[in-house]
Amino acid sequence: MRNKKVKLNKINKTLAVLIAAMSFNSFGSDTLKEPLVYSHNSKDLTWINCPDFLPCQIASLNGELGDNNNDVFIKFPSLAKIPFHTHTSTEHMILLEGEFHTTYKGFERVVLKKGDYAFGPADLAHDGYCASKEDCVMFVAYETPIDAIPISNK
């Protein structure tokens, strides 16, 4: 029987940046013809609010939010509680700032620390909690258009 623990791989900051940079090329917009470099604390980013039920802001890094293969930064305020929801896309995540707790339905709660990578399967309900005194910021690569569907119960 499969171990139901979500596996996390610790990666150092340099590797996290390298993975993020590679994802711009492998997951980037089909029309993108130039390299991109972004810092999650850049004043040049345009942050927009997430859907009303999610306490977060999102900044698109390549292409439009409705495109396939879109990379984003997502920012959750300190101590924010994220209700159970799903996405139709898989999520490839690297926590850049803060400490983030998440539980996927049927799996044990995991704690992500700065530099941790997590993979979220499509259509698997999950919640979250930004457990730090600072905002939690994640790099997330989506394979299909970004969405968030609220779940009324676990």
Side-chain angles (χ1 to χ4, degrees):
M1 185 174 188
R2 258 179 66 190
N3 183 347
K4 288 195 123 191
K5 269 190 170 175
V6 175
K7 295 184 180 184
L8 294 177
N9 293 317
K10 279 280 196 192
I11 54 177
N12 65 36
K13 199 174 194 178
T14 304
L15 186 54
V17 171
L18 178 60
I19 289 170
M22 289 182 339
S23 73
F24 290 131
N25 292 327
S26 62
F27 294 113
S29 169
D30 293 337
T31 60
L32 195 59
K33 302 294 182 207
E34 59 186 56
L36 296 172
V37 177
Y38 287 106
S39 171
H40 66 281
N41 52 16
S42 171
K43 302 285 186 227
D44 295 331
L45 291 173
T46 302
W47 292 92
I48 62 170
N49 290 330
C50 293
D52 287 342
F53 75 96
L54 292 174
C56 61
Q57 291 186 308
I58 190 167
S60 181
L61 303 177
N62 62 328
E64 300 296 322
L65 290 178
D67 291 347
N68 284 329
N69 301 317
N70 194 231
D71 299 332
V72 299
F73 288 139
I74 299 179
K75 183 178 359 181
F76 298 96
S78 171
L79 307 178
K81 293 181 182 179
I82 296 88
F84 271 87
H85 62 284
T86 64
H87 305 281
T88 55
S89 177
T90 58
E91 297 179 290
H92 305 267
M93 301 163 274
I94 299 173
L95 187 65
L96 303 174
E97 295 291 338
E99 178 178 301
F100 194 81
H101 301 193
T102 189
T103 303
Y104 282 86
K105 186 175 181 180
F107 294 85
E108 295 179 23
R109 186 175 250 341
V110 294
V111 175
L112 290 101
K113 305 232 184 218
K114 187 175 181 177
D116 285 346
Y117 169 82
F119 172 81
D123 302 314
L124 185 58
H126 57 285
D127 70 352
Y129 174 62
C130 178
S132 54
K133 292 180 182 177
E134 62 185 354
D135 291 347
C136 292
V137 181
M138 290 184 187
F139 166 82
V140 185
Y142 291 93
E143 296 175 9
T144 60
I146 299 168
D147 62 5
I149 303 147
I151 301 294
S152 59
N153 57 31
K154 295 184 187 181

